[in-house]
Amino acid sequence: MNKLRACLRYSVLAMPLLLTGCLEVDQFPEWLRGEYAGKEDNRHYQTRFHNDRLAWSAAVQNRAMKQNEYNRANP
């Protein structure tokens, strides 16, 4: 009777471990298999700067320079 209880106890403890693999769901998004139906996103330089990457880069660098406190504080 003692062996039966020990075997039952171990089987009850092992049951959740055995069932954890059954609950796994698909972890990949749908677009990896080619099922994405949306449109491709445009880059900032393509939409706002008419595909001119240098003008976009200059605008970003100019904005960064105006946000720098060292450049704004020193005359």
Side-chain angles (χ1 to χ4, degrees):
M1 190 66 158
N2 216 3
K3 273 188 164 182
L4 183 62
R5 276 191 184 173
C7 183
L8 183 63
R9 183 180 298 154
Y10 288 134
S11 64
V12 167
L13 290 175
M15 193 61 104
L17 293 175
L18 292 173
L19 291 177
T20 55
C22 298
L23 301 176
E24 187 174 352
V25 296
D26 193 15
Q27 297 179 5
F28 295 105
E30 297 298 325
W31 54 267
L32 278 180
R33 291 187 293 273
E35 298 175 13
Y36 179 68
K39 67 176 186 68
E40 191 173 313
D41 293 331
N42 293 330
R43 303 286 182 201
H44 293 292
Y45 63 88
Q46 291 173 336
T47 56
R48 296 187 180 153
F49 293 94
H50 304 289
N51 210 11
D52 188 5
R53 249 185 142 146
L54 290 176
W56 171 76
S57 178
V60 169
Q61 289 175 359
N62 190 20
R63 179 181 174 201
M65 289 299 286
K66 290 188 183 206
Q67 290 179 351
N68 190 353
E69 290 291 327
Y70 292 114
N71 290 338
R72 290 184 352 165
N74 293 333

